[in-house]
Amino acid sequence: MKSVKAYRYRYVILLCLVLLIFSVEIQWLNLAPVGRVTNHFYQGQLALKYASPVDLLSLMFLLVFVVASIPSSYLLHRLGPRWAVWIASGCIVFGSLTKWIYLASLPAVLFGQFILALGQALVLTSITEIVSRWFPIRERGMAVGITSASQYLSLAAVMILTPLLVATRANDPSWGEGFERMMGIYALVSSILALIPAFLMRENPPTPSSTIQTPKNQSFRTSFRIMNKNASLRGLMIIFSIGWGVLMTLFIKVDEISALLGFNDSNGFLGISMFAGGMVGAIVLPGLSDRYRRRKLFFLFCNVCSIPGILLLVFCQQIGAVLLSSEAIALIGASIVGLSLLASIPIGSQYAAELGIGISEEVIQGFLLLFSQGACAVILLVSLIATDAYSPMVLSTLAALLAASMIGSTFLKESEMIVTEEERLKGVIEQEIVHLQ
């Protein structure tokens, strides 16, 4: 048994990661809740046959991550976390201020979003590397969990705050006012939050955080070859990616979908309902999955529950004509969808790690993130190509994808090594004593 030191400064490092994530993620979907206002503001600037300005800005993050994730990982290992954080902070500050200063020009705003997307790729690919350097092995799951939660909290924040900063009532003479102020607030918040880590980030603790040697990272090619031989892991990757892609598509097009469902105002209620249900599901269902030691059952449960939720959204107007109202039915459906799909993310992540024995967990999570962003980009591109005549079918298409995922999840095999985080790390935890500094 060996001793290691855990320095209090590791919590400053964790705060730096949370601030970076929050600063860049609020720039991703901050215009989605007021999509109708945004599209009107940039009306006629670009000859967009298929996509609206909001769709283009949201799609930028997805496409850039798919292309830049592997180069970002290379840059991280080549230059180290401190340089990666400096570059990411610079990208976030430059991109945020560009979007604000040149707000009236859609091409300039798209360029700023591109720079922000590069910063996001660097931030997300650096999380596990920085955590492994500063945290003893018993605390790494907690640290990564906090960074993951900050991504969804940042998206929840914009769903709530953006409609409050912009006049969105349909019949209000001041409709659309506050748009410039809203962009300025987000630019300043993102810039300030991104600059703090640039000054506080350190490369390494004075002494290693753990004596346990982590296995050498496998190449993506080797890992992909191993994964391709595992039918259940391969299927889980696809199903997980579809669920994540559907959820993010709903968030990206939340205001457009709200208009289709009869919401007159860009109040963000639909997105807020999804997050409210999602927070409950993400807390309760993974805990139950650990308690009853069932991954497939609860992952399948999440997929099954998403079907009635999405169907309530599809048929909210017909159901609302005889029960409650169409808006109330849509909000209930959105809550069920959020509860199901947001809960499936932590369950699916742990499920994949357990199915992927012999593959580094960082590699598995990297593939999940890469495939999920790619799936969302494909789904969003297909929805953009749909003409106005077919736009009401977007929800039906998403429902069909969720139904296919539900059917596919029945063919997965149960994990053969269902363990909680504490049990999984018990063996290595007992090999070292941690002294707090």
Side-chain angles (χ1 to χ4, degrees):
M1 187 174 292
K2 299 180 180 180
S3 297
V4 295
K5 295 179 180 179
Y7 297 88
R8 291 189 181 92
Y9 202 81
R10 69 190 186 280
Y11 295 116
V12 177
I13 299 299
L14 181 59
L15 176 64
C16 290
L17 288 175
V18 170
L19 292 179
L20 279 173
I21 291 169
F22 201 88
S23 66
V24 72
E25 295 297 341
I26 61 174
Q27 292 287 341
W28 179 21
L29 299 181
N30 60 343
L31 299 179
V34 290
R36 280 170 276 188
V37 174
T38 305
N39 294 336
H40 177 77
F41 187 86
Y42 292 115
Q43 188 174 14
Q45 287 206 25
L46 290 178
L48 303 173
K49 183 177 181 181
Y50 297 117
S52 67
V54 170
D55 294 329
L56 281 179
L57 290 166
S58 303
L59 186 62
M60 183 72 73
F61 263 52
L62 300 169
L63 293 178
V64 170
F65 183 86
V66 171
V67 175
S69 58
I70 295 178
S72 295
S73 297
Y74 173 80
L75 189 65
L76 171 67
H77 288 92
R78 186 75 175 176
L79 301 178
R82 196 173 188 184
W83 268 100
V85 167
W86 284 348
I87 296 172
S89 297
C91 288
I92 295 169
V93 172
F94 181 83
S96 300
L97 293 179
T98 298
K99 288 175 64 177
W100 177 33
I101 296 172
Y102 299 99
L103 177 62
S105 171
L106 180 57
V109 172
L110 285 170
F111 176 72
Q113 192 80 339
F114 173 77
I115 300 299
L116 282 163
L118 292 176
Q120 185 212 33
L122 270 173
V123 171
L124 295 185
T125 54
S126 67
I127 292 173
T128 54
E129 175 70 20
I130 294 174
V131 166
S132 67
R133 292 191 181 204
W134 279 90
F135 284 83
I137 197 165
R138 69 184 68 191
E139 295 179 355
R140 291 176 189 174
M142 173 272 296
V144 173
I146 290 174
T147 60
S148 298
S150 65
Q151 296 180 51
Y152 301 111
L153 289 176
S154 63
L155 299 181
V158 299
M159 292 292 164
I160 296 171
L161 294 178
T162 298
L164 296 178
L165 296 172
V166 181
T168 59
R169 291 187 177 276
N171 298 322
D172 191 339
S174 62
W175 184 83
E177 289 185 7
F179 185 78
E180 295 89 345
R181 181 187 60 184
M182 178 266 295
M183 291 296 286
I185 291 173
Y186 279 127
L188 293 175
V189 169
S190 290
S191 299
I192 293 171
L193 295 183
L195 283 173
I196 294 173
F199 291 100
L200 297 179
M201 179 58 65
R202 295 180 184 174
E203 192 80 13
N204 291 303
T207 58
S209 64
S210 177
T211 60
I212 308 300
Q213 295 298 317
T214 56
K216 186 177 180 180
N217 289 337
Q218 296 167 315
S219 68
F220 277 81
R221 182 180 298 177
T222 302
S223 301
F224 188 80
R225 188 161 53 244
I226 297 174
M227 287 169 44
N228 199 44
K229 296 178 181 179
N230 190 329
S232 285
L233 180 57
R234 187 172 66 245
L236 176 60
M237 290 275 186
I238 296 172
I239 295 166
F240 182 96
S241 299
I242 291 174
W244 195 93
V246 169
L247 180 66
M248 290 301 118
T249 301
L250 288 172
F251 282 129
I252 290 169
K253 301 181 76 66
V254 64
D255 197 42
E256 179 182 329
I257 292 173
S258 297
L260 288 172
L261 298 182
F263 288 80
N264 293 324
D265 304 330
S266 300
N267 49 32
F269 285 174
L270 208 63
I272 294 171
S273 296
M274 281 193 284
F275 267 114
M279 290 299 103
V280 174
I283 293 171
V284 175
L285 293 180
L288 292 176
S289 176
D290 275 349
R291 179 180 177 82
Y292 292 103
R293 298 179 180 274
R294 293 285 189 275
R295 298 293 184 227
K296 176 181 176 179
L297 176 63
F298 282 91
F299 188 72
L300 176 60
F301 176 78
C302 290
N303 283 284
V304 170
C305 287
S306 68
I307 303 302
I310 197 74
L311 289 179
L312 285 177
L313 287 175
V314 173
F315 299 107
C316 67
Q317 293 177 332
Q318 292 85 341
I319 298 174
V322 296
L323 180 67
L324 299 177
S325 65
S326 61
E327 290 86 356
I329 297 299
L331 294 177
I332 294 171
S335 299
I336 297 174
V337 169
L339 183 148
S340 307
L341 296 183
L342 269 174
S344 72
I345 293 173
I347 295 174
S349 297
Q350 184 62 29
Y351 192 7
E354 293 170 358
L355 288 176
I357 302 174
I359 307 174
S360 170
E361 189 169 339
E362 287 86 355
V363 172
I364 291 177
Q365 300 307 318
F367 272 116
L368 282 175
L369 185 59
L370 179 62
F371 291 165
S372 297
Q373 298 260 11
C376 184
V378 171
I379 294 172
L380 189 57
L381 282 171
V382 171
S383 70
L384 297 183
I385 294 173
T387 61
D388 291 339
Y390 294 100
S391 58
M393 295 177 61
V394 169
L395 277 176
S396 301
T397 303
L398 298 181
L401 287 172
L402 291 179
S405 296
M406 179 195 69
I407 295 171
S409 60
T410 62
F411 293 96
L412 300 175
K413 70 175 184 179
E414 182 58 276
S415 169
E416 296 177 357
M417 51 163 293
I418 302 174
V419 290
T420 63
E421 185 73 7
E422 180 180 354
E423 293 168 334
R424 184 173 68 86
L425 298 176
K426 183 177 181 181
V428 292
I429 286 175
E430 291 178 348
Q431 297 181 36
E432 61 185 23
I433 301 174
V434 177
H435 297 284
L436 301 178
Q437 295 294 310

